[in-house]
Every structure is written in structure tokens, then in C-alpha cells.
Amino acid sequence: MFLSAVSYFIRGSYEPRWLRRALLAGLCALPLLSGCASYQSQPLPDRAGGLSRAQLAHIRVDRREMPLPELAAHRFDPSNGLDIEEVAMLAVVGNPALRLARDDLKVARAQSFAAGLLPDPQLGFSNDFPGAASATSSAFSAGLSMDLMALLRRGTTKSAANAETAKIDLGLLWQEWQTIAQARQLFIKTRFQTDTLPLLERQSDLAEARYAHMAKALRQGNLTGDALTAALLAQTDARKQYTDAQRAALQTRHALNALLGLQPDVALHLTGDGGQVPLDDKTVEHSLAGLPARRPDLLALRAGYVAQDQKYRAAILDQFPSLSVGFVRARDTSSVYTSGFQISLNLPIFNRNRGNIAIEKASRRRLRDEYQNRLDQAYAEVAQLREDSALLERQLTEVEAALPGMAAQATAAARAYASHDLGMNAYVDAQSGEIAKRIEAASLRESIAEQRVGMQALLGGAIPDAFSSDVELIRAHEH
């Protein structure tokens, strides 16, 4: 259509009335030719979202959309409770933050599509009516032009938009991995709190029983007030530990529901202990060697650097004169027709786009430093986790070695107390000592399991095939 209009301008085979009719018909036909979009309203919600208990029972998860191989191979069946992998799968599907990140990706893809579109030509028309009697006709001028520099910048702009889309796509993958790690850690914490709450309740009941026993002895004149005060402090402390643990469990449950996109009143039935397989030193070293080519956040930063590099190139192109070329057909008031062309050229004398060039160059430098900082931070975090995990495992070994002896003492104290050969204080101390040691062991196991999840998240897993095009785009621009 553009070439046909150009040929009409060159031949000059039309009259002003025909031209006006052609312009009107062309403007009317534009929506049909361009396949214009239509407006559709989308009202805001008026109620809280989140999956209910009934919806959770019927939810289906497409394993092919899972961002990790172990999740893609795991069967999702909420009818018999949720294990640690099913909780992670549910987090990928229902997490509200991931839903927003996927919306951002759709916006980036739309921007990439817009960057690849050809620039539209510009059509201008003017009509002048003479005020003098000597004029023989009205005058008109019509022109058709196109910005050539927009065509030259199209490739660079499209490359930058594609790299920006790859950055957001890989950033979404990294956010999914982090959400999976958070879901697993909250699962582990929930299971730990479920196991330790009965122990803390038992400890509180023992302290309360001892206080009641000593209060009775005080009333009978067999105990001093100082001893009863110490028992009251111990009972208050044990009760506070139990109530604090209840509040912590409630907060963990709400945090897990929020992470999974569930309504606050949904009570999950969790199964399994959530134990994580430790990573040996050889696996860790091998994973560290390929960290820059596997971790999505590092790949996303590299894609962002590629996008910024293309923006820097575009800014350099914009320092050259902007050129627009077009064709003109005109008639003056004496009925003389003219045909020609027009060139619009800005003169790079003062600005020369130097400010934008400096901005894009500095931005590229900042992205390079950000990538280096993130890479250094990744290695430092892995090193810290390895040292902390080794220390926790040594502590757990010591606690587990002492636990059988504490259990034997508690059992012997219970038998002696039942046969009235042991006082209440000694009995409660023995039972409380074993409970405290069990809680300590459970806390260490929880910390080790959470650190193993964190280590796996820091080292990264296999990049899904769906993201191979993003990685290839980065490598293509780097080479």
C-alpha cells in the first residue's frame, strides 16, 4: 500500500478532490487493515482471593510446567496429604508473587513484539483557499515520508528488547527456585514445630505440677518461700516457651498459606519428615565450577547486560543525523502542479546525543559491577553454608550421643518417683533434661535440613529446556 501511494505521488495522476477522497477512504480502512484491538473492561475484584480447602482438594498441577526435574517427576496428589515436594509444586502454581512476575514477563514479551514492528510512514496534506480574484484555483500540498533512522535502529532495538525479555524470563525462573526453597523450608519448620510442641507442653505440665506440689508443701510448713519462688519462675518460663512456640507455629502456618496462595483458614495436612539428602564436597565443587552458566539470577544479569549493551549501541547510532525522506505533490493558486521530494535532517552540532551515550555507558558499567558482586556473593554464601552445616552436624552428633544417657536417666527417675524413692524436684529435673535434649536435637536437625535446602537453591539445578533459547541468545551476543 505504501509503494502504491508513492507511485501515485510520482505520476501525479490525480486531482485534489480525488486525493481528499483517497485520504478519507484510507483513514477509514486503517482499522480493518491493521486488525485493530477492541476494548474489554476488566473490573477489580471485590473479595479476597486464595484457594479454599474445597478448591485445594480438586487442584491439578501440570508437572511439565515445573521448573525443576525432581518436581516434574513427582506425582501431585493432595488427597492423602502433602509431602515436601507437593508443597513446592503447589507454591509454583499458586504463589501470588510468581503470578505478578509472570504478568511482568507478558509485558516484556509485548514490548519485544512492539520493538520488532516496522515504523509507520507519515502522510501529510494541506489545502489553501485563495483570497484574491486573480487566483484560478485553490492550492494544495501532499507529502508521504518515512524516518529512515528508525529502520536503521530497528535491529538494535529489537535485540535489546529480546535480551530484556530473556532477563525477565530467567529472573522468573530464579524467583520460582527461591519460592520452592522457601516452601520447603517452611514445610521443614512446620514439621519441626509439630514435633516439638508436645514436648514443650509436657515440659510446661511438669513445671506446673512441681509448682503445685511445692505450694502444697509451703502451706504445710515443709518448704520455704524462696524455693517456691524459684519453682514459680521455672513454671512461668516453661509456660512462656510453650505459648511462644504456639504463636510461632501459627505464624509459620499463615506464612506457608500465604506463600502457597491459600486462604488463611486452610489447615494443611503435611506428611513426611522433609529430610533432605546432603550434598557431598565433590558435588558442591562441581556445581560451583558451572555456577555462572546455571544459576538463573546470574544468567538474568548477563541478559540484562546484553540488553544494556544494545541500548548503548542504539545511543551511539542516535548521535548521527536523523534522516527522513519523502515525496511531495503540490499545486499553487495558478493551477501549476509540481512533484518532488523532501529530506528532513537534524544537524548534530550541539547535542549529538552525548548525554544519552554517557548515561547508557555508565549504566552498562554498573550492570557489569552488579554481576561481579552477585557472583562473589554466591560463592561467599556457599562457603558460609558449608562451614555452618559442618558445625551443626558436629553439634548434632554430640547431642545424639548424649541423648540415650539422658533418656535412661529420665526412665530411671520415673521408676524411682513411682516407687516413692525420688523427690518431685529430682524427677522433674530428669524429665525436663531429656525433653530439652530432644528439643535441641530436633532444632539442630531442622537447621541442617533448612541449610541443605538453601545450599541446593544457591548452587542451582538444571536449566529447563524451555529456557535454552534465552541462554543461546546470551551466548550469541557475548561471542
Side-chain angles (χ1 to χ4, degrees):
M1 184 177 182
F2 176 70
L3 295 178
S4 300
V6 171
S7 66
Y8 273 113
F9 275 111
I10 295 176
R11 295 199 309 267
S13 57
Y14 54 83
E15 293 295 331
R17 183 179 300 174
W18 183 94
L19 178 62
R20 287 194 293 271
R21 292 176 180 175
L23 288 174
L24 181 60
L27 291 175
C28 293
L30 279 178
L32 297 177
L33 294 175
S34 60
C36 62
S38 60
Y39 170 77
Q40 294 180 352
S41 64
Q42 187 176 14
L44 292 173
D46 56 358
R47 64 185 63 184
L51 291 175
S52 64
R53 179 71 180 178
Q55 292 172 326
L56 178 61
H58 298 91
I59 192 172
R60 295 294 180 266
V61 174
D62 189 355
R63 293 186 292 178
R64 295 171 298 180
E65 297 180 356
M66 292 296 106
L68 288 174
E70 59 267 27
L71 297 185
H74 194 81
R75 182 172 180 268
F76 183 84
D77 183 13
S79 62
N80 56 353
L82 298 174
D83 60 19
I84 189 169
E85 301 301 344
E86 288 172 323
V87 167
M89 296 169 73
L90 188 59
V92 173
V93 174
N95 182 256
L98 290 180
R99 191 179 301 117
L100 292 178
R102 294 184 183 107
D103 292 338
D104 291 337
L105 179 59
K106 293 178 182 178
V107 173
R109 287 174 176 169
Q111 292 172 342
S112 177
F113 168 75
L117 297 176
L118 290 172
D120 292 323
Q122 296 179 345
L123 177 64
F125 175 77
S126 64
N127 197 359
D128 298 328
F129 299 95
S134 58
T136 60
S137 67
S138 63
F140 78 90
S141 175
L144 189 65
S145 63
M146 175 170 278
D147 186 1
L148 296 184
M149 286 303 296
L151 290 175
L152 295 177
R153 290 193 303 267
R154 178 176 175 271
T156 304
T157 304
K158 178 64 175 175
S159 297
N162 288 341
E164 191 69 26
T165 302
K167 170 189 173 183
I168 296 177
D169 199 10
L170 290 165
L172 170 61
L173 178 62
W174 175 246
Q175 191 171 344
E176 288 177 339
W177 286 9
Q178 295 305 296
T179 303
I180 289 171
Q182 292 176 20
R184 287 171 171 170
Q185 289 177 338
L186 286 174
F187 178 95
I188 293 169
K189 186 178 292 293
T190 301
R191 298 298 292 164
F192 160 76
Q193 291 169 339
T194 302
D195 293 339
T196 55
L197 273 176
L199 296 176
L200 290 171
E201 184 180 16
R202 169 66 175 163
Q203 190 175 43
S204 176
D205 292 342
L206 285 171
E208 187 174 355
R210 176 168 59 182
Y211 173 72
H213 178 79
M214 296 179 70
K216 181 180 179 181
L218 179 65
R219 289 193 300 269
Q220 295 174 349
N222 299 325
L223 191 69
T224 63
D226 294 342
L228 183 62
T229 301
L232 176 61
L233 291 176
Q235 187 267 341
T236 303
D237 184 63
R239 188 65 185 174
K240 183 176 183 302
Q241 288 184 22
Y242 177 55
T243 55
D244 288 347
Q246 286 180 312
R247 291 182 57 203
L250 184 63
Q251 293 174 357
T252 303
R253 182 174 70 84
H254 282 290
L256 183 58
N257 282 12
L259 186 72
L260 302 182
L262 304 176
Q263 293 181 359
D265 59 344
V266 175
L268 293 175
H269 173 49
L270 304 181
T271 61
D273 57 2
Q276 298 295 299
V277 179
L279 298 176
D280 56 85
D281 292 338
K282 184 177 180 180
T283 302
V284 172
E285 294 297 335
H286 181 267
S287 300
L288 282 174
L291 201 63
R294 190 178 59 257
R295 258 186 51 165
D297 63 326
L298 296 175
L299 290 171
L301 287 176
R302 289 168 64 183
Y305 183 81
V306 169
Q308 185 57 42
D309 187 66
Q310 294 299 315
K311 293 178 182 178
Y312 179 42
R313 291 173 182 267
I316 292 176
L317 288 176
D318 286 340
Q319 72 179 323
F320 298 104
S322 178
L323 178 64
S324 294
V325 177
F327 303 92
V328 179
R329 176 69 172 169
R331 184 185 69 186
D332 60 16
T333 56
S334 60
S335 298
V336 176
Y337 287 86
T338 58
S339 298
F341 65 91
Q342 63 178 4
I343 297 178
S344 177
L345 183 69
N346 71 319
L347 301 179
I349 298 177
F350 303 110
N351 190 310
R352 289 181 292 169
N353 208 40
R354 290 177 295 174
N356 290 332
I357 292 175
I359 291 172
E360 302 298 349
K361 184 178 181 180
S363 299
R364 187 181 68 168
R365 176 66 187 183
R366 185 189 181 282
L367 286 176
R368 186 182 185 278
D369 293 338
E370 183 181 359
Y371 178 83
Q372 183 66 61
N373 291 341
R374 182 70 64 87
L375 187 61
D376 295 343
Q377 182 182 3
Y379 284 107
E381 288 175 345
V382 171
Q384 180 182 354
L385 273 183
R386 294 178 72 178
E387 294 179 3
D388 288 346
S389 297
L391 178 61
L392 288 173
E393 288 174 358
R394 287 196 298 269
Q395 293 177 347
L396 179 60
T397 301
E398 295 174 356
V399 170
E400 288 181 337
L403 193 55
M406 299 289 293
Q409 292 178 8
T411 301
R415 287 198 299 266
Y417 180 74
S419 59
H420 304 287
D421 294 331
L422 190 67
M424 170 65 81
N425 278 340
Y427 166 71
V428 172
D429 289 341
Q431 300 298 319
S432 299
E434 182 197 10
I435 291 174
K437 191 63 68 174
R438 290 187 181 279
I439 294 175
E440 183 181 1
S443 178
L444 289 172
R445 293 191 194 99
E446 177 209 4
S447 298
I448 292 173
E450 289 185 4
Q451 287 201 349
R452 287 173 181 172
V453 171
M455 177 71 77
Q456 291 174 348
L458 288 175
L459 294 177
I463 297 294
D465 295 336
F467 295 86
S468 58
S469 58
D470 296 333
V471 179
E472 291 174 0
L473 183 145
I474 297 171
R475 293 173 179 171
H477 282 282
E478 288 179 342
H479 293 86

